Amino acid sequence: MRLKKFYSSREVISLTGLTARQLQWWDSRRLFSPAIASQRTEAGGFTERRYTTLDVLELQVLADLRRRGFSIPRLRRLLSTLRDVFSVRLYEAIGDGGLLTLFIGGDQLFARTADGQLFNLDRPTQALMMVGEELPMRPLAARERRRRRPVLRPATEGTKTRSTTKSTKDTKQRDHKEI
């Protein structure tokens, strides 16, 4: 990822795998707001939202957690727990070496402080005491979402390709259901 001062919504979409609708919804529900909000222009349109590099890193982690099945309320709790309990932003807990490091083990999120205390982020009020085998955990990291390329299959004789057999109405209905 080439570092820039600000990223457009389109760039964020390609880097995270999130949709434009998700970014808009997350902004309107105050889950995650851009550094520069969309503004009305004199011509009656709107400017594009702009995100900082740190915003993109956080959105990559949130998108990854979302793909793993974490709910929106759970993502909201994660962000508020990091802010209110540990006084850090998500980007400060990504990777190793900060005051706090996030780990994922199955469907559980953990935080390890610089002094070695481990917290379950669903119940962060008391450090965990580890006895016996360690939990299988890995550090939570921001990763650029790789887009899958569609597999093109050659049409066989006597069959039509997908684009000619589907009507525009069917395609619009399918696209609407996927949001």
Side-chain angles (χ1 to χ4, degrees):
M1 177 170 79
R2 195 176 123 247
L3 296 180
K4 297 169 53 174
K5 188 172 182 176
F6 292 105
Y7 293 83
S8 69
S9 295
R10 291 177 188 163
E11 291 170 314
V12 170
I13 288 165
S14 71
L15 292 169
T16 63
L18 294 169
T19 66
R21 182 68 186 117
Q22 283 175 306
L23 290 174
Q24 180 186 33
W25 194 87
W26 288 12
D27 181 20
S28 68
R29 300 298 191 282
R30 289 182 170 54
L31 174 67
F32 198 96
S33 297
I36 300 174
S38 181
Q39 302 291 323
R40 195 169 227 359
T41 65
E42 290 179 14
F46 287 92
T47 61
E48 201 168 25
R49 293 171 177 84
R50 298 286 177 176
Y51 298 86
T52 66
T53 304
L54 298 177
D55 291 342
V56 173
L57 292 174
E58 290 181 343
L59 284 167
Q60 286 174 331
V61 171
L62 293 173
D64 186 42
L65 291 173
R66 193 74 183 103
R67 282 188 291 277
R68 293 173 183 273
F70 284 72
S71 68
I72 296 295
R74 193 159 179 208
L75 295 180
R76 187 181 303 279
R77 279 194 313 271
L78 166 66
L79 295 173
S80 66
T81 298
L82 291 174
R83 182 185 60 245
D84 300 340
V85 177
F86 298 103
S87 301
V88 297
R89 272 189 59 181
L90 179 57
Y91 78 86
E92 296 173 288
I94 299 169
D96 208 4
L99 296 175
L100 191 73
T101 304
L102 291 180
F103 290 89
I104 187 166
D107 66 345
Q108 296 293 307
L109 289 172
F110 301 92
R112 185 183 67 209
T113 61
D115 63 358
Q117 291 185 315
L118 189 66
F119 294 86
N120 181 329
L121 290 181
D122 287 332
R123 294 174 294 289
T125 55
Q126 184 176 352
L128 298 173
M129 186 172 83
M130 302 298 292
V131 178
E133 291 187 35
E134 290 188 27
L135 294 170
M137 298 185 297
R138 65 172 185 76
L140 200 57
R143 288 178 281 169
E144 186 175 335
R145 175 78 170 161
R146 302 269 185 228
R147 289 194 160 244
R148 293 183 184 173
R149 293 196 174 120
V151 177
L152 298 176
R153 295 184 185 139
T156 58
E157 192 174 321
T159 62
K160 296 180 180 180
T161 62
R162 182 178 179 162
S163 61
T164 59
T165 59
K166 291 282 184 183
S167 72
T168 304
K169 181 180 177 183
D170 292 340
T171 304
K172 286 180 182 177
Q173 287 176 346
R174 183 193 72 233
D175 290 346
H176 179 68
K177 289 178 185 175
E178 291 175 1
I179 292 176

